[in-house]
Amino acid sequence: MQIQYINEMLNIPELQVRQIQSMVTEELHIEAIPRSYKQCCSMCKSDQNVIRKGSNGMRIVRHLPVFAKKAFLHVPSIRLFCTNCEVGFGWSYEFVGSKQRYSWLFRSLTVEQALGSTAAHSARLQQLPASTVQRMHNAAVPLECERIEKQVWTEAKEMSNLVLGVDDFAIRKGHTYNTGIHNLKGETMLDLLPGRKLNDLRAYANTHPDFLLLNPKAVVMDLAQAYHTWISECFPRAIRIADRFHVHGYVIDSVQEVRKTVQPMLSPRARAYLKAHHRLLNPPAESLEEESRTRLEMLLTFSPLLRSVWEWKEAFSTWYDCSPSFSVAKLGFERWCEQGERMDHPAVRSTLKTMRNWNIEIVNYHQCRWTNATVEGRHNRIKAFQRRHYFTRNRSRYKAGILIECNRHRMFGG
């Protein structure tokens, strides 16, 4: 292959490839020299009085793979001298840092692989010591997190009709939680704050003025009172929306509670069949395959009450999907509540009490149709991150890692 094509493949404008020194099974060694003859003095910022004073030998720099081989660039370590300032200095290459053995592009690739998995995995891919990859990772994460934070917050402040999502996830389930703030419209995670109690949320708003500068059209949350109180204090004009996933979960739970009361009164065979296939009661009927629909129909024949509650649950899904406007949705929600009241079952009454307490936030979905579905997906990423990093003890590094993990599509200028 001719030298000019290797120049294009390396994509390092400041270098000119001279020759390929060696190419073995796993390694490719390329000799290159700077295209310029001299550089500006670091003191006077001029190259007029700069002269070359020889070389200290060759620097060997690991670069991106070429032809699926490890590529090493051999570049001269040129000595320079400024006769005006009477100072000596070494040649500074843009593609690699001072006294570094790995190019910036190689470091970026290695860190990106480590962010998606672990330092040990990236080290195996690049055939490097894991400690080297970990040092690259530790150096890159704070800078990358700072860049991403600045970018996503600037977008959120400038975005019209901003829609925020607020939800918590467990560090240690039942004990310790974090709360994430998400830009649903921009598909980014804005920030991570410790705790989920009202005092924690208020403290965050007081210490982060940028948060109060946002102007959201709507905020999507679950039915935790602390979130709704906090958002009504920070953004009184924003539409507060109860997340559809969490609201629908209350209705599904009531169906399962009715199933548990019906189950003991059935014959042993019917009881075993209902217990084995009880999860078929949860999803919408239209999403089931033909075989599953047949089994579901069998379950519903066991009890008229179970069928009524299941139809009530299906009507709720239809109300969410098919209400054409906010005013029609309000009427439809009231009719759905009346349908549930006619069943007279403790589990249904408990669910209806919750629904009526939050009826405004639930119906508000039809003013601004957004859910926290993407937030739940990010929670899966966060849980995987926590398992990979064994719940990092350093809070700033833990937060930086999660923000990068959830905004991975914005990494390295992307």
Side-chain angles (χ1 to χ4, degrees), residues 29 61 92 148 217 221 269 300 319 349:
H29 291 262
V61 180
S92 176
I148 288 177
K217 174 185 177 182
M221 303 161 281
R269 186 173 181 179
L300 299 178
W319 172 80
R349 285 198 300 268

Side-chain angles (χ1 to χ4, degrees), residues 19 72 145-146 277:
Q19 62 177 339
F72 295 88
C145 179
E146 183 180 354
H277 300 96

Side-chain angles (χ1 to χ4, degrees), residues 79-99:
R79 297 197 308 269
L80 300 170
F81 183 79
C82 179
T83 57
N84 182 41
C85 303
E86 297 186 351
V87 295
F89 57 97
W91 192 280
S92 176
Y93 291 97
E94 294 181 2
F95 79 99
V96 63
S98 176
K99 300 181 181 179

Side-chain angles (χ1 to χ4, degrees), residues 154-350:
T154 301
E155 287 180 3
K157 292 175 187 176
E158 297 174 353
M159 185 172 291
S160 60
N161 296 326
L162 173 67
V163 180
L164 296 179
V166 178
D167 202 4
D168 60 76
F169 62 90
I171 300 178
R172 184 183 173 201
K173 200 169 183 66
H175 296 269
T176 314
Y177 290 83
N178 283 332
T179 296
I181 303 172
H182 306 260
N183 177 357
L184 299 181
K185 195 172 180 181
E187 299 182 349
T188 56
M189 183 176 186
L190 297 178
D191 212 344
L192 179 71
L193 59 108
R196 60 175 180 174
K197 296 182 179 180
L198 186 56
N199 291 337
D200 300 325
L201 303 174
R202 284 172 172 165
Y204 172 83
N206 292 333
T207 56
H208 291 76
D210 283 351
F211 177 71
L212 298 176
L213 294 178
L214 299 177
N215 185 28
K217 174 185 177 182
V219 183
V220 184
M221 303 161 281
D222 59 21
L223 301 185
Q225 184 62 57
Y227 288 147
H228 289 265
T229 302
W230 180 52
I231 292 300
S232 62
E233 293 173 356
C234 296
F235 311 113
R237 293 187 295 176
I239 301 171
R240 289 182 287 112
I241 302 172
D243 180 45
R244 175 174 176 172
F245 172 81
H246 291 90
V247 173
H248 209 270
Y250 285 96
V251 181
I252 291 175
D253 288 345
S254 65
V255 174
Q256 292 298 335
E257 287 299 320
V258 171
R259 188 264 307 174
K260 291 176 183 177
T261 60
V262 168
Q263 198 167 274
M265 297 184 290
L266 302 178
S267 65
R269 186 173 181 179
R271 186 188 314 150
Y273 193 86
L274 179 57
K275 185 176 181 179
H277 300 96
H278 70 276
R279 289 186 178 85
L280 293 176
L281 298 168
N282 297 343
E286 60 186 17
S287 68
L288 298 175
E289 297 180 355
E290 189 63 33
E291 183 180 354
S292 297
R293 290 187 187 182
T294 303
R295 290 176 177 172
L296 174 62
E297 188 59 34
M298 176 67 73
L299 300 182
L300 299 178
T301 59
F302 294 155
S303 168
L305 176 60
L306 184 60
R307 178 180 289 275
S308 297
V309 175
W310 178 83
E311 291 175 347
W312 180 63
K313 185 265 297 183
E314 289 290 296
F316 193 57
S317 297
T318 303
W319 172 80
Y320 258 119
D321 294 331
C322 302
S323 297
S325 65
F326 178 70
S327 57
V328 173
K330 289 174 66 177
L331 294 174
F333 183 77
E334 189 59 37
R335 290 172 186 161
W336 177 81
C337 289
E338 292 173 357
Q339 179 185 350
E341 288 171 351
R342 289 194 291 269
M343 293 178 208
D344 194 27
H345 189 277
V348 176
R349 285 198 300 268
S350 176

Side-chain angles (χ1 to χ4, degrees), residues 102-128:
Y102 304 97
S103 69
W104 295 121
L105 290 175
F106 180 82
R107 293 170 70 94
S108 296
L109 174 65
T110 306
V111 170
E112 187 173 358
Q113 291 173 339
L115 291 172
S117 54
T118 61
H121 176 70
S122 180
R124 286 194 297 270
L125 291 177
Q126 299 297 345
Q127 299 180 28
L128 289 173

